[in-house]
Amino acid sequence: MATKHILIVPGDGIGQEVTAVGKKVLDRIAEKFGHTFTYDEALIGHVAIEATGNPLPDESLEKMRNSDAVLFGAVGHPKYDNDPSAKVRPEQGLLKMRKELGLYANLRPIKLFDELLDASSIKPEILKGADILFFRELTGDIYFGEKGRKNNGDTAFDVAEYSRYEVERIARKAFEAARTRRKKLCSVDKANVLETSRLWREVIQQVAPEYPDVEVEHQFVDATAMLLIKDPRRFDVVVTANLFGDILTDEASQIAGSMGMLASASIGDGTGVYEPIHGSAHDITGKGLANPLASILSAALLLDISFGMKTESETVINAVDKVLKEGFRTRDIADTKTESSMILGTDAMGEAVLKFI
């Protein structure tokens, strides 16, 4: 039995709805296994700007630092997407959170439940058996480099920057993970063009001899984008830079059938943050249509990685598997064979998972 403090950070849009379901799953696990989970909530993103003028208030950051783990929702709002000149933006809160908490490694498991083979636009025979673990570097690259305008605002620039240390620390995490899986690591870069990628490849090559049991492959990002769709089963562990990882993992959501199925963990020097990879999806906010399974699977990652509760984590994943085997779907993962009575809303899907836990 354990006592842990979890910070719930719903954020914007459907983040509010799916994290509420994720919290219910954590409560059920605590009840089933005799743990005590205490909770607090914090603001980030658009809701934080509206309340305080700051996308990540100091109070929220302090709560994050003092928590054992963070269950996170999403940030973003259309008003900022349509106003490139806005100086204060929800995403600034997300980037600051990652930087201040030292969250340099973003883990995104791309694992396909067999029941969702038909939910993807990719042929089932290409998908079946795909199981990829992405390591996306999270605190470097153009997201954090110098940026600005010149020539009276007519020219914009974003500087991509990486240090040897930044590449080496995430490389080691990826190699260690590969050792526990199929012992294959693919490092993705653009070393034929970018100097940051040349450093990236150089560091991976220097670290590789320490892991002689892991087979290492180097690929350019454009080739990887093609191969993820052509032959996703060839990949085991993939490690890549911030920008490339952002794009490739969203592309890889099609392997799992929907972004609504993909969880992630952001870990590093401090408190771990666990979140679905989908955005705030304001077009369906408040309609009860959001798929909560990515948030539920993020809670499973939280239990495993931050708390070391592997049995509890597997219990959550098995419950999701059973729900899908029963034929229940949310709208985003339904196909033409799904009966309308089996298409559930956000809360109903959550209740179905709780039943199997």
Side-chain angles (χ1 to χ4, degrees), residues 26-239:
L26 290 169
D27 282 338
R28 180 62 57 86
I29 287 293
E31 178 186 356
K32 181 180 177 70
F33 289 91
H35 302 304
T36 299
F37 294 159
T38 61
Y39 302 95
D40 198 355
E41 285 206 11
L43 297 175
I44 196 172
H46 169 69
V47 293
I49 295 172
E50 292 291 295
T52 71
N54 186 341
L56 182 62
D58 291 342
E59 180 185 2
S60 295
L61 186 57
E62 191 63 21
K63 286 182 178 182
M64 291 173 181
R65 288 184 172 131
N66 293 329
S67 298
D68 293 309
V70 174
L71 184 67
F72 186 82
V75 297
H77 194 281
K79 69 175 283 187
Y80 305 94
D81 298 338
N82 298 325
D83 182 11
S85 66
K87 300 300 182 185
V88 180
R89 312 179 68 83
E91 294 77 12
Q92 292 168 344
L94 184 63
L95 295 177
K96 183 178 179 181
M97 177 185 72
R98 292 170 178 170
K99 199 73 172 179
E100 293 293 327
L101 295 181
L103 303 174
Y104 63 83
N106 182 238
L107 282 64
R108 295 192 177 186
I110 312 293
K111 184 171 175 60
L112 176 67
F113 290 91
D114 285 346
E115 291 72 30
L116 297 183
L117 278 169
D118 292 326
S120 173
S121 57
I122 305 172
K123 294 176 181 177
E125 59 268 26
I126 292 175
L127 286 179
K128 189 173 177 60
D131 182 1
I132 309 169
L133 178 57
F134 273 89
F135 278 77
R136 169 191 170 193
E137 201 289 324
L138 209 56
T139 58
D141 215 341
I142 65 173
Y143 295 89
F144 293 95
E146 182 185 355
K147 53 186 85 276
R149 297 283 186 101
K150 57 185 181 181
N151 298 332
N152 296 319
D154 291 335
T155 303
F157 61 91
D158 297 275
V159 177
E161 188 171 85
Y162 267 117
S163 69
R164 184 176 302 277
Y165 167 71
E166 288 173 315
V167 181
E168 186 175 311
R169 66 182 177 177
I170 193 168
R172 293 189 187 283
K173 283 198 176 293
F175 272 106
E176 292 291 345
R179 276 184 161 171
T180 68
R181 293 167 54 93
R182 289 187 285 139
K183 296 180 172 56
K184 294 175 61 179
L185 184 139
C186 178
S187 175
V188 178
D189 58 38
K190 192 65 176 170
N192 57 335
V193 175
L194 303 177
E195 193 61 34
T196 48
S197 281
R198 294 185 185 112
L199 174 67
W200 183 282
R201 185 171 293 208
E202 178 184 312
V203 173
I204 298 293
Q205 289 173 337
Q206 289 173 346
V207 172
E210 299 176 28
Y211 302 87
D213 52 328
V214 176
E215 176 189 342
V216 180
E217 177 183 22
H218 298 274
Q219 277 187 4
F220 295 143
V221 62
D222 40 359
T224 305
M226 178 270 293
L227 288 168
L228 275 172
I229 301 302
K230 181 181 179 182
D231 185 16
R233 287 177 295 190
R234 67 173 286 150
F235 295 101
D236 180 22
V237 174
V238 177
V239 62

Side-chain angles (χ1 to χ4, degrees), residues 227-294:
L227 288 168
L228 275 172
I229 301 302
K230 181 181 179 182
D231 185 16
R233 287 177 295 190
R234 67 173 286 150
F235 295 101
D236 180 22
V237 174
V238 177
V239 62
T240 192
N242 206 343
L243 177 62
F244 298 156
D246 192 356
I247 297 168
L248 290 176
T249 51
D250 279 9
E251 179 197 8
S253 70
Q254 269 304 290
I255 295 170
S258 167
M259 280 190 185
M261 292 301 301
L262 294 186
S264 77
S266 297
I267 60 175
D269 302 327
T271 308
V273 176
Y274 301 84
E275 62 180 299
I277 79 160
H278 61 66
S280 50
H282 282 270
D283 57 323
I284 59 170
T285 296
K287 298 179 181 179
L289 298 175
N291 184 348
L293 293 180

